[in-house]
Amino acid sequence: MSDKASKHTTEGIEKLRTLVDEINTCLFCTNLKTNDGATTRPMAAVKVSEQGNIWFFSEKDSEKNKEIQENAAVQLLFAHPGIGSYMVVNGEAEIVTDREMIEQLWNPVVKIWFKEGKTDPNVSLIKVIPASAYYWDTDGNKMINFLKMAASVVTGANLLRGNEGEITI
């Protein structure tokens, strides 16, 4: 049994930010109409803005950017089984090449993909503007949840509780 909740605006953005920060890496899906998995790739989120937009670094000439230019609809699938947190985000993606924004979001890890650093001519950002989001997470840490699961098996009562709900941005 789970507690369903709807997270609205400020609370929703904070829930989105918390889950993105905890999970960080998602499967970033473009070209949703083909639905064949070939246009899905793991990507690390850089930041969730005050407006709830999710930012990523990307190469300007990547297939992903080309797919976004053809169709901006994207889906982000976040999962961290170790902490029992999951989220799906549907939204519109936009390619951003603003140097000031690149400077603001830059971190040393990104240099792995952009050898020339912040000034690499192939650096771009992807801003995902969420249209909808839904989450599932469990209460407590992994060890406690494992013990609850074991106790549930012994007692026959479900002691493992979770939360789920829509996140309204």
Side-chain angles (χ1 to χ4, degrees):
M1 177 64 81
S2 66
D3 297 321
K4 283 194 176 188
S6 185
K7 306 286 184 189
H8 294 283
T9 55
T10 305
E11 185 183 3
I13 291 170
E14 191 53 42
K15 182 66 175 179
L16 181 78
R17 182 179 291 114
T18 298
L19 288 169
V20 169
D21 288 348
E22 284 178 354
I23 302 170
N24 185 258
T25 301
C26 70
L27 289 176
F28 191 111
C29 310
T30 55
N31 201 7
L32 301 177
K33 291 181 181 169
T34 62
N35 201 22
D36 65 0
T39 58
T40 299
R41 73 280 293 156
M43 291 189 67
V46 178
K47 177 182 179 171
V48 176
S49 72
E50 297 297 316
Q51 300 78 25
N53 299 323
I54 306 170
W55 291 86
F56 300 85
F57 275 94
S58 181
E59 295 173 326
K60 276 185 195 174
D61 62 0
S62 68
E63 284 300 312
K64 167 182 43 324
N65 283 26
K66 291 174 190 168
E67 291 161 1
I68 289 169
Q69 289 169 341
E70 290 174 20
N71 183 344
V74 297
Q75 186 173 63
L76 311 177
L77 304 169
F78 290 87
H80 193 317
I83 60 173
S85 293
Y86 307 88
M87 179 173 59
V88 60
V89 177
N90 296 292
E92 298 285 314
E94 174 181 314
I95 307 301
V96 177
T97 57
D98 178 67
R99 287 311 205 184
E100 195 172 301
M101 189 57 110
I102 290 169
E103 174 78 31
Q104 182 183 341
L105 296 176
W106 187 264
N107 67 65
V109 175
V110 180
K111 192 170 182 181
I112 294 168
W113 291 275
F114 302 101
K115 300 298 180 203
E116 295 178 43
K118 301 174 215 180
T119 60
D120 191 311
N122 203 27
V123 175
S124 72
L125 294 165
I126 298 173
K127 175 172 77 171
V128 175
I129 304 155
S132 66
Y134 201 87
Y135 74 97
W136 301 262
D137 60 16
T138 54
D139 295 328
N141 67 35
K142 188 175 179 180
M143 181 54 81
I144 290 171
N145 285 332
F146 175 77
L147 294 172
K148 286 180 179 179
M149 192 179 328
S152 294
V153 170
V154 172
T155 65
N158 184 359
L159 304 174
L160 189 59
R161 298 284 178 230
N163 303 300
E164 66 178 271
E166 180 181 353
I167 300 174
T168 305
I169 310 299

